[in-house]
Amino acid sequence: MSSAGVVSARPSSQGLRRAGLVAGALAAVALVALFVGARYGLMLAIGLGFGITLEGLRFGFAGPWRAMILRREPAGVLAQLLAIALVSVVAIPLLGTHPGELSGAQAPIGWAMIGGAFVFGAAMQVVLGCGSGTLVNAGSGNPVGLLALPFFAIGSFAGAYGLVWWTSLGALPVLTLRGSFGLGVTLAALALVAGLFWALGKPGTRRLQTRYVVAALLLAALGIGNLLVAGQPWGVVYGLGLWAAKGATAMGADLSGSAFWSAPGSVERLQSSLLTDYTSLTDLGLIAGAFGVAAWRKGGLSQPLPRYPARAWIATIIAGLLLGYSSRLAFGCNVGAFFSGISTGSLHGWVWFAAAFAGAFVGIRIRPLVGLEART
């Protein structure tokens, strides 16, 4: 075959691959909608949207925090705060007018919650992935993400198993900002924090790039969609723990000793299909969406195995376990606690943010020590 023939065949092959990715995504959504229910099909579509947005625009939570701490580049964090503000403008009023139909990401502030957030902030910087970030990294073929994900799920399951005991160590009642006053306080606090990060940022790095603005707008729209369709905010951690719990019960484990997993709601989900669990659907969508974007790009899935030392892979496993376990104690990750907690008026989201950001300083110091930044 002539070289011209080879060249002309490449665009056709690429086009077929991309058409197949689009067709596969549409087919998956349609099949879930047809055989499980339209609402569940929509949730899978929303999850795909999250994955496509995060991977396609190379946006996330762990990376911008790292950029702010190491290089005083606040743009990524400012975009996160913008997205949260946009969701809160819609979510907080809706929660007030539809209390029986919609629920927020509210949780109590306690010692275990604060400690869990701190540990989570550290662990996510070790593997450069929070809850959504680990799913996206795994979906795009990142070896560290692929290794951390199953241990994240196991850790989430284990953390939920003893969650009631941890919360008994001491916690305040659930504190929530509601109504017009609550929305005003939330927006004012977000503006204050954004102003602080802007002031601390290095000149020349404060301006939001177009992709950050687009990412913030898309995440806000998808987050609002998640609330309206599922009746609950975007979350990640519960779905991962549920996957591990289903695996444990399939192997004959008795979960009746756990107040969390033996609760009626958890028992019902354990006995039902994953495709009827909203959080699982968006988690699966995150993975699939990131996979689709990586496959869409030329050579997106051809990442070589990093030549990290053995201690780096061991650290990845430990960090994965800690991510899962600590996020259960903290009532969520960057998505469930920070993004959804603050945007639905929960004060625990603010405390989580402070504790996790402090932990991120520690995790950034640990990462090179375990060999995750130095290739051998």
Side-chain angles (χ1 to χ4, degrees):
M1 181 182 294
S2 67
S3 59
V6 173
V7 172
S8 63
R10 286 176 182 168
S12 176
S13 175
Q14 183 184 72
L16 287 173
R17 184 180 74 251
R18 290 180 171 180
L21 290 170
V22 174
L26 293 175
V29 172
L31 287 171
V32 171
L34 179 63
F35 292 104
V36 187
R39 188 183 296 265
Y40 301 106
L42 281 173
M43 288 306 298
L44 179 59
I46 290 171
L48 286 166
F50 280 127
I52 292 169
T53 298
L54 293 173
E55 175 65 17
L57 294 172
R58 300 202 181 276
F59 187 70
F61 292 93
W65 288 23
R66 178 182 176 86
M68 181 63 203
I69 292 171
L70 286 181
R71 301 185 297 275
R72 292 170 51 214
E73 297 175 358
V77 179
L78 294 177
Q80 294 171 9
L81 297 174
L82 172 60
I84 293 171
L86 293 172
V87 175
S88 68
V89 169
V90 177
I92 292 178
L94 280 178
L95 290 170
T97 56
H98 298 77
E101 302 173 52
L102 306 176
S103 61
Q106 282 95 31
I109 299 169
W111 296 113
M113 184 240 116
I114 296 171
F118 181 90
V119 172
F120 185 91
M124 79 171 184
Q125 290 300 333
V126 172
V127 296
L128 281 184
C130 57
S132 60
T134 300
L135 291 169
V136 168
N137 289 342
S140 63
N142 180 285
V144 172
L146 286 167
L147 179 60
L149 179 57
F151 293 98
F152 194 133
I154 294 169
S156 176
F157 161 68
Y161 195 96
L163 180 60
V164 173
W165 181 85
W166 281 105
T167 55
S168 70
L169 296 179
L172 297 171
V174 175
L175 302 172
T176 308
L177 296 167
R178 295 187 175 92
S180 299
F181 174 78
L183 175 59
V185 172
T186 298
L187 293 177
L190 286 167
L192 182 64
V193 173
L196 176 62
F197 278 104
W198 188 90
L200 294 173
K202 186 169 58 177
T205 66
R206 296 163 175 160
R207 181 177 177 274
L208 290 184
Q209 301 174 27
T210 301
R211 69 181 177 93
Y212 281 167
V213 175
V214 173
L217 294 173
L218 289 175
L219 287 181
L222 291 165
I224 293 168
N226 196 114
L227 178 65
L228 294 176
V229 175
Q232 65 188 38
W234 180 25
V236 168
V237 175
Y238 178 83
L240 297 179
L242 181 63
W243 300 355
K246 279 182 171 290
T249 55
M251 292 186 289
D254 180 11
L255 305 185
S256 61
S258 167
F260 183 93
W261 292 114
S262 63
S266 295
V267 171
E268 181 182 355
R269 288 184 176 89
L270 284 169
Q271 295 172 348
S272 303
S273 167
L274 282 179
L275 298 181
T276 61
D277 176 62
Y278 295 135
T279 309
S280 292
L281 283 168
T282 50
D283 285 354
L284 291 170
L286 272 162
I287 296 172
F291 169 84
V293 172
W296 185 282
R297 293 171 176 148
K298 184 179 179 180
L301 294 178
S302 59
Q303 297 187 38
L305 185 68
R307 292 181 296 164
Y308 291 135
R311 70 180 187 276
W313 299 110
I314 295 172
T316 298
I317 293 172
I318 295 172
L321 288 169
L322 288 176
L323 282 169
Y325 198 96
S326 63
S327 61
R328 283 306 336 166
L329 304 191
F331 296 98
C333 59
N334 292 67
V335 170
F338 175 50
F339 184 93
S340 294
I342 293 176
S343 65
T344 58
S346 180
L347 286 180
H348 100 282
W350 288 105
V351 177
W352 188 98
F353 179 36
F357 204 86
F361 280 85
V362 177
I364 286 173
R365 303 300 186 274
I366 293 175
R367 181 175 166 83
L369 297 179
V370 298
L372 278 167
E373 288 188 353
R375 308 277 177 101
T376 59

